[in-house]
Amino acid sequence: MKEGKLSTPKLGDLDAKMIPYSNVIDLIHKHLPYMGFPVTSIHVAGAFWSFVGVWSAMGLPGASLLTNVLAIIYPAWQSYKCEKNNTPPTQWLAYWIIYSLFFIIECSHGITSNTPCYFTIKLTVLLWCMYPGAGNGSTVIYTLALKPALHILDNFMVRGAGVDKRPRS
């Protein structure tokens, strides 16, 4: 692979990585008639995420719960795996900071109830933050927006508490 270019995975590669959907595929093949094409885990995943997107966009009952469950389970598992494998959890620390900001926003019910498709927007941003490759949302949002803001806040808090012994400029 040349530097700067992303390789596009083949459908067979993606299908092999989607093992959790295999039970659903077995169920589909046993109980549904042939649809004119082989149903793969790509189809099952696409249907699942389409369902989640429509559910959250329409604001149906449970959209908040569905969004929060999906936004917590995978990142919690990946955080555990980082700790287990002694790898730096940089992406997941940034993810949890971003997730906490969404939580703070949701404490103000007026913002969430007056923003159309709020839970769809939240889920889309958090799925981008979960993306395992380069350019994931956690890295981009934290590096470009949150880290500078937190640095300013940290300086303000340290100076405000009178703990900072550095000379003011």
Side-chain angles (χ1 to χ4, degrees):
M1 182 170 79
K2 293 181 181 178
E3 189 175 328
K5 292 196 175 192
L6 297 174
S7 65
T8 307
K10 297 179 179 116
L11 278 180
D13 294 341
L14 288 175
D15 213 32
K17 292 180 180 178
M18 300 177 114
I19 303 294
Y21 296 103
S22 63
N23 293 336
V24 177
I25 292 173
D26 291 342
L27 183 72
I28 289 171
H29 286 218
K30 285 181 186 175
H31 299 290
L32 292 177
Y34 182 69
M35 294 184 199
F37 58 89
V39 176
T40 65
S41 55
I42 300 290
H43 298 111
V44 173
F48 173 76
W49 288 110
S50 297
F51 174 77
V52 168
V54 169
W55 186 295
S56 63
M58 293 179 66
L60 295 174
S64 172
L65 176 66
L66 179 66
T67 302
N68 284 322
V69 166
L70 292 173
I72 290 173
I73 290 177
Y74 179 74
W77 180 253
Q78 290 300 320
S79 299
Y80 161 75
K81 283 176 56 178
C82 285
E83 188 271 329
K84 178 181 165 190
N85 298 331
N86 290 327
T87 57
T90 309
Q91 175 186 358
W92 301 110
L93 290 173
Y95 176 87
W96 291 115
I97 293 171
I98 294 165
Y99 183 83
S100 68
L101 289 175
F102 276 109
F103 182 77
I104 291 168
I105 289 170
E106 288 173 11
C107 289
S108 168
H109 184 66
I111 294 173
T112 60
S113 62
N114 293 327
T115 304
C117 300
Y118 170 78
F119 292 109
T120 305
I121 294 166
K122 174 184 174 181
L123 188 60
T124 303
V125 169
L126 292 176
L127 284 173
W128 176 42
C129 290
M130 290 181 221
Y131 178 69
N136 65 62
S138 295
T139 306
V140 172
I141 294 170
Y142 182 77
T143 305
L144 296 179
L146 294 177
K147 190 174 182 178
L150 291 172
H151 180 70
I152 292 168
L153 181 64
D154 184 44
N155 284 341
F156 175 75
M157 297 300 286
V158 167
R159 288 186 180 176
V163 176
D164 190 13
K165 301 297 182 196
R166 296 175 286 180
R168 293 186 184 206
S169 50

